[in-house]
Amino acid sequence: MESVSENDFRDTLARWPSGVTVVTARAGDTPIGITVASFSSLSLDPPLVLVCIARSAQSHDGLVGAPGFAIHVLGASQEEMSALFARPGADKFGAYGDERGPFGVPLLPFGVARLVCERYAAHDGGDHTILVGRVVSVEHAGTDPLLYCNRAYGRLSPSV
Ligand SMILES: Cc1cc2nc3c(=O)[nH]c(=O)nc-3n(C[C@H](O)[C@H](O)[C@H](O)COP(=O)(O)O)c2cc1C
């Protein structure tokens, strides 16, 4: 069986465009959060979504073990927030208040949408864990999304 080189694999996947989310939860009393592009809808009934969390992320055990988590879909002006939550282990919540939602999830400003989820399942995904949440609340605003493709941020161009 042939196998692809890690660089080819990464470079190929990098060409897949996505939105950007920040996923938050609470580990004990400590807020944790991480920038995540691997967000997907999964099921309508029950209402399920999934995110894939790297086992190497410092927040992995806290996110996967939490009773619930919040997914913030970032708006086009939230690039700075994406970069902040992509820093390993940094104190990421200093600039934000201590607003809490169901399950104590830290609530952050969102440009596009915010989904609060109850932990539904966690599956093995190689060096990631596939974390499935049952959506218990949704809010959305009308802002354009922040995009990510080819290792760079972008935004929708207005159609002419
Ligand atoms: C645009 C973007 C998308 C990312 N998507 C994911 C993802 O889907 N899953 C993941 O585990 N890490 C993802 N990361 C990397 C994490 O945000 C990064 O490893 C972070 O430092 C982890 O924080 P922690 O070590 O404090 O938990 C992404 C980073 C960026 C910039």
Side-chain angles (χ1 to χ4, degrees), residues 60-156:
H60 174 273
D61 292 358
L63 286 173
V64 169
F69 53 94
I71 301 171
H72 305 78
V73 182
L74 302 191
S77 65
Q78 292 187 293
E79 193 177 317
E80 209 176 296
M81 186 167 153
S82 172
L84 173 64
F85 280 88
R87 271 184 225 142
D91 173 18
K92 305 173 187 178
F93 287 85
Y96 303 100
D98 188 28
E99 198 185 342
R100 299 175 187 218
F103 317 105
V105 294
L107 297 179
L108 298 169
F110 61 94
V112 174
R114 183 162 62 196
L115 303 88
V116 176
C117 303
E118 177 185 28
R119 183 189 194 280
Y120 184 83
H123 302 289
D124 176 38
D127 59 9
H128 283 57
T129 297
I130 305 162
L131 178 60
V132 180
R134 187 178 69 84
V135 179
V136 298
S137 75
V138 288
E139 298 159 84
H140 38 87
T143 315
D144 273 353
L146 181 63
L147 305 180
Y148 195 70
C149 188
N150 269 334
R151 304 186 175 94
Y153 293 101
R155 55 183 64 195
L156 296 173

Side-chain angles (χ1 to χ4, degrees), residues 18-21 33-39 51-60 63 82-90 92 128 148 153:
S18 70
V20 182
T21 74
I34 167 177
T35 300
V36 164
S38 59
F39 162 71
V51 289
C52 302
I53 308 297
R55 291 185 188 280
S56 59
Q58 294 186 31
S59 317
H60 174 273
L63 286 173
S82 172
L84 173 64
F85 280 88
R87 271 184 225 142
K92 305 173 187 178
H128 283 57
Y148 195 70
Y153 293 101

